[in-house]
Amino acid sequence: MPQATSSTLQLENLSPFIGTAVHGIDLREPVSDADFAVLRDALNQRSLLLFRGQQIDEGQHVAFSRRFGTLLGHVLTQFLKQQHPEIYVLSNVTEGGKPIGNHKEGWNWHSDLSYKAEPSLGALLYAVEVPPEGGDTLFASMHAAWDALDPAMQQRIRHLKATHSYANYYGKAFADRQPLSDKQRADVPDVQHPLVRTHPETGRLSLYVGQDVVKQIDGLPADESTALLAELNAHAIDPRFCYRHRWQAGDLLIWDNRSTMHCATPYDDHKYRRVMHRTTVAGDRPF
Ligand code: OGA
Ligand code: MN
């Protein structure tokens, strides 16, 4: 049953720990401050919001995204929309021999821009075209993952730090592509972040890990770092902490990168087209 709220919005949970569907809103129209406050609160509590059946254009996508904060570009500038450089395109489609978006972006567990000193607060991903099967996106609650760790492990990792590296991610995910240029590399130097971070708005702790993008846990022998990272990554994506999103065109999903990880899943990219538009909200330094 949808839960009533003080505004006209209706909220419906999608899974135990993560995800809420928002009903009764048309994102072509400006969102009132009262409704926006409900959305901000729901995002902080539930880490992921779903808006179905939205027929927004690029300008409306950008305008709504800006309500959440300053918008960021991307180091792969070739995949930003020329008219709306706040929009980063994920797609397998090519036009005139050129990819219109980054294909196979996020095909492993990560949170966006964790390789930056100030990673993204959150992202708003809009489904323009989706395959009839496959191409779901998985989301995991890193609050739930932290809460479920046994106390001895919590104590062991509470003050550890890890190195996040876009170059490491790119090298593994896109080994078949042209390597990053010197300029691109300089744009995304490796950074260090706490392995356990505090949500700046709620104070809740979460596990801050990721596959490939997290190169190592710092201050540990290499084999110990590799083993601990593998253990924490495996724990973090336990299905009980996850929600799987089956996309429909017109879906807009907003997630909180400070308390979640997500992962794309494959689809038949020879047979089907997938075109997704993402805006990315600036965040603070993790602590
Ligand atoms: C993203 C992302 C996954 C997907 O937009 O940041 O990782 O399923 N997307 O497209
Ligand atoms: Mn992503």
Side-chain angles (χ1 to χ4, degrees), residues 90 105-106 110-113 123 255 257 262-263 278:
L90 292 73
E105 166 70 288
H110 66 283
S111 63
D112 300 314
L113 275 54
W255 59 85
N257 277 314
H262 57 278
C263 180
R278 188 184 87 193

Side-chain angles (χ1 to χ4, degrees), residues 108-116 162-173 190-191 193 208-216 229 233 261-262:
N108 60 9
W109 285 92
H110 66 283
S111 63
D112 300 314
L113 275 54
S114 77
Y115 50 83
K116 295 275 210 184
T163 297
H164 293 233
S165 167
Y166 187 76
N168 198 61
Y169 163 67
Y170 188 98
K172 293 194 177 185
D190 291 1
V191 295
H193 291 309
Y208 198 41
V209 288
Q211 295 171 340
D212 297 341
V213 68
V214 181
K215 197 158 91 172
Q216 66 187 36
L229 200 50
N233 272 325
M261 284 205 290
H262 57 278

Side-chain angles (χ1 to χ4, degrees), residues 6-220:
S6 58
S7 78
T8 56
L9 303 178
Q10 302 260 286
L11 305 182
E12 182 187 9
N13 287 350
L14 296 169
S15 79
F17 293 115
I18 181 170
T20 288
V22 181
H23 305 288
I25 189 166
D26 180 348
L27 296 175
R28 288 174 301 192
E29 308 294 335
V31 176
S32 70
D33 288 345
D35 280 352
F36 191 72
V38 171
L39 297 181
R40 267 316 279 254
D41 189 52
L43 184 62
N44 282 334
Q45 300 307 324
R46 301 287 306 162
S47 304
L48 175 75
L49 301 180
L50 165 65
F51 304 82
R52 282 232 127 115
Q54 300 296 325
Q55 300 308 320
I56 50 173
D57 62 25
E58 292 171 10
Q60 289 158 341
H61 181 186
V62 170
F64 179 56
S65 301
R66 277 199 208 293
R67 298 289 296 274
F68 291 87
T70 306
L71 302 183
L72 300 171
H74 196 276
V75 55
L76 304 180
T77 51
Q78 68 269 34
F79 301 131
L80 300 175
K81 281 257 154 188
Q82 272 189 358
Q83 300 299 314
H84 294 279
E86 303 85 354
I87 294 179
Y88 174 66
V89 183
L90 292 73
S91 186
N92 63 325
V93 175
T94 55
E95 276 170 14
K98 273 193 165 176
I100 65 163
N102 196 9
H103 188 27
K104 303 195 177 178
E105 166 70 288
W107 285 33
N108 60 9
W109 285 92
H110 66 283
S111 63
D112 300 314
L113 275 54
S114 77
Y115 50 83
K116 295 275 210 184
E118 296 187 340
S120 157
L121 177 154
L124 294 88
L125 188 64
Y126 182 62
V128 180
E129 277 185 75
V130 295
E133 56 189 351
D136 298 352
T137 309
L138 306 172
F139 292 87
S141 166
M142 292 302 100
H143 287 323
W146 167 257
D147 291 346
L149 280 176
D150 75 70
M153 179 61 96
Q154 287 186 336
Q155 206 178 352
R156 178 178 171 204
I157 68 170
R158 178 71 179 89
H159 299 291
L160 291 178
K161 293 182 189 317
T163 297
H164 293 233
S165 167
Y166 187 76
N168 198 61
Y169 163 67
Y170 188 98
K172 293 194 177 185
F174 306 127
D176 52 338
R177 292 192 198 172
Q178 183 102 328
L180 290 174
S181 67
D182 290 347
K183 188 187 167 302
Q184 286 172 321
R185 275 181 166 272
D187 201 26
V188 284
D190 291 1
V191 295
Q192 192 184 56
H193 291 309
L195 201 52
V196 182
R197 68 180 291 189
T198 311
H199 195 287
E201 293 180 74
T202 66
R204 287 188 71 187
L205 297 179
S206 64
L207 196 53
Y208 198 41
V209 288
Q211 295 171 340
D212 297 341
V213 68
V214 181
K215 197 158 91 172
Q216 66 187 36
I217 297 174
D218 299 327
L220 299 182

